[in-house]
Amino acid sequence: MASARSTRASAAVERLKRRTGVTSYSMARTGDGAFFLSERPGAPPLCAPLELDDFVVFVDGLGPQPEKRITKNDAAFEKQLVRKKP
């Protein structure tokens, strides 16, 4: 179970690296299983040690956010909603 936890946390860090273009972000784990993020190995942490879910939310909230993909049908539906408002 610990490897799945680390995989989910490291995947969040990899997404952050892709979004920001900064490849030096580093994740570490405390002895009690909490995670924290640094700008590079050995640098001060950017957050207090967090549980897995909180860590993933924190990391996913950093940097530029990916644009939401919208289908042609969704776009057409949004246009209809705008027209129907009084």
Side-chain angles (χ1 to χ4, degrees), residues 44-59:
L46 298 174
C47 62
L50 300 168
E51 291 299 316
L52 175 64
D53 292 336
D54 295 331
F55 178 78
V56 171
V57 168
F58 172 76
V59 172

Side-chain angles (χ1 to χ4, degrees), residues 17-35:
K17 289 178 180 181
R18 279 194 305 273
R19 284 194 320 268
T20 62
V22 178
T23 59
S24 61
Y25 281 113
S26 176
M27 172 192 79
R29 211 165 157 194
T30 64
D32 64 353
F35 298 88

Side-chain angles (χ1 to χ4, degrees), residues 2 4 6-7 16-18 26 34 40 63 67 70 78:
S6 295
T7 301
L16 175 63
K17 289 178 180 181
R18 279 194 305 273
S26 176
R40 64 187 179 287
E67 289 185 25
I70 186 165
E78 287 292 325

